[in-house]
Amino acid sequence: MRGRDVISILEFTRRELETIFEEADRMLEVAKRGADVLRGKIMATAFFEPSTRTKLSFQAAMLRLGGSYVDLPPEHLSSRAKGESLADTIRMLDAYADVIVVRHRAEGVAKFAAEIADAPVINGGDGTRGHPTQAMVDLYTIRRELGRLDKLVVGVLGDLKYGRAAKSFVLGISKFEPEKLYLISPQILRPREDLLEYLSEAGVEHEVVEDLRSVLPELDVLYVTRIQRERFPDPLEYERVKGSYRVTADILAEVKDELIVLHPLPRVDELDFSVDSTRHARYFVQASYGVPLRMALLKLVLVGG
Ligand code: CP
């Protein structure tokens, strides 16, 4: 994987994902004592959209491995404010760093950056299209918490139209052998046809439903996502759908013992605080796995296996 761009989860085979997860297992230990495997390497983080987890866990991962990072400031404080093109900005990051992590509101920017830069480019989220490293974190969490990624009944709840984390997760889990995938959303946020066509062609048993309660007792994994307010072209459309689903501790009363509840975070009102103290909550441990997983990815991309 040395020198490889990370643009879409679809570019990774099951075997390659397993290699990343095995490396992440080793990184769990390495993270405690630190290492210098990336000493002398520099990562550039270029986030044109807000982030807490993705940016900071990439930066922490780099520091844990002895590397360092430079961070492009918000657009109003960089030379983008003077009219510099995105392409020239990427050229500068390429000159200063060994790997570039980019997040942008526009779809396709990570791919565009990868075409310009010689250094590997990692997609930290582009528009509604993809968030491949989040999907890796999600899959790694399931593997750690349930011990397997195959033969699971998985429910993905929320904004399946605009949510890039949900979409990448669905594509990621389809690399394994889910027993069944439930795509649960209000009608207006149902997944796009291209995703459903992909699942059909990949032979993944799936069903689009609106009612969480009807499928909840079957689930091994419930992946909750927020409504992506910032991606609605029409604010009225958001107003119509906001608050339309909410997971609380009460509705988890009849679920399987081993059910785990995941969420890429941040949450707004779709995942009640009451779930935090149930045995099913795994979303904070999921976020913590962002560091070893991204340590593994940076090591594999920058120095190889
Ligand atoms: N899960 C995720 O991408 O979180 P941030 O937006 O905080 O990076």
Side-chain angles (χ1 to χ4, degrees):
M1 276 182 232
R2 189 172 178 181
R4 183 166 173 179
D5 298 313
V6 179
I7 307 301
S8 164
I9 193 72
L10 280 179
E11 295 159 359
F12 287 80
T13 64
R14 175 184 177 132
R15 183 65 209 124
E16 286 170 335
L17 290 171
E18 284 167 348
T19 298
I20 295 167
F21 300 154
E22 286 157 16
E23 189 70 52
D25 284 341
R26 290 188 281 277
M27 291 300 172
L28 280 170
E29 283 306 306
V30 174
K32 290 181 196 154
R33 58 176 193 275
D36 61 3
V37 65
L38 295 185
R39 189 159 307 284
K41 301 287 186 191
I42 298 174
M43 172 182 71
T45 43
F47 279 57
F48 298 94
E49 272 193 330
S51 171
T52 297
R53 277 147 292 275
T54 310
K55 182 154 98 169
L56 297 189
S57 62
F58 263 115
Q59 292 176 346
M62 201 64 189
L63 295 173
R64 293 278 189 207
L65 289 173
S68 46
Y69 66 84
V70 289
D71 183 43
L72 186 72
E75 281 184 293
H76 70 284
L77 295 176
S78 79
S79 286
R80 290 275 289 153
K82 302 177 212 163
E84 184 164 54
S85 69
L86 184 61
D88 282 358
T89 303
I90 298 296
R91 285 187 186 98
M92 294 304 97
L93 300 178
D94 194 30
Y96 302 149
D98 302 290
V99 59
I100 301 166
V101 184
V102 64
R103 169 175 287 191
H104 202 282
R105 58 194 165 276
E107 296 173 13
V109 164
K111 188 165 183 295
F112 172 73
E115 282 162 9
I116 292 169
D118 289 331
V121 170
I122 300 178
N123 183 2
D126 63 334
T128 62
R129 187 173 290 187
H131 196 349
T133 69
Q134 179 64 50
M136 291 175 190
V137 172
D138 303 336
L139 296 172
Y140 183 63
T141 304
I142 295 172
R143 178 182 169 278
R144 293 285 312 177
E145 298 300 309
L146 294 180
R148 68 193 198 282
L149 278 158
D150 293 312
K151 307 294 171 220
L152 295 169
V153 181
V154 177
V156 186
L157 170 69
D159 185 346
L160 307 183
K161 182 175 181 185
Y162 297 116
R164 63 190 174 204
K167 182 176 175 189
S168 285
F169 173 68
V170 167
L171 295 174
I173 196 78
S174 73
K175 301 267 176 186
F176 296 83
E177 292 173 12
E179 191 175 314
K180 182 151 186 182
L181 204 51
Y182 284 109
L183 303 168
I184 313 156
S185 71
Q187 175 68 19
I188 176 172
L189 297 177
R190 56 176 275 129
R192 294 171 195 268
E193 284 308 315
D194 60 342
L195 184 63
L196 300 177
E197 278 166 25
Y198 174 84
L199 292 174
S200 297
E201 279 167 23
V204 177
E205 170 82 14
H206 63 281
E207 188 176 340
V208 179
V209 297
E210 288 185 40
D211 179 23
L212 170 65
R213 285 172 192 260
S214 65
V215 300
L216 202 44
E218 289 179 55
L219 302 183
D220 300 301
V221 176
L222 173 61
Y223 188 95
V224 186
T225 62
R226 73 183 168 92
I227 299 181
Q228 308 278 303
R229 177 182 196 161
E230 66 277 24
R231 305 204 194 285
F232 277 67
D234 176 1
L236 287 178
E237 190 187 356
Y238 173 75
E239 289 301 321
R240 276 200 294 275
V241 79
K242 77 172 182 188
S244 56
Y245 59 93
R246 185 177 178 85
V247 177
T248 62
D250 289 347
I251 70 161
L252 299 178
E254 302 292 319
V255 299
K256 286 182 188 172
D257 277 352
E258 73 159 6
L259 170 79
I260 57 170
V261 177
L262 303 182
H263 192 308
L265 303 176
R267 64 175 153 183
V268 186
D269 56 7
E270 67 288 343
L271 182 57
D272 192 76
F273 290 144
S274 63
V275 181
D276 297 2
S277 55
T278 69
R279 65 184 182 283
H280 307 293
R282 293 293 193 288
Y283 28 92
F284 292 120
V285 77
Q286 175 187 4
S288 75
Y289 285 141
V291 175
L293 188 287
R294 291 179 171 113
M295 288 170 73
L297 194 59
L298 287 169
K299 188 213 161 204
L300 290 167
V301 165
L302 285 168
V303 300

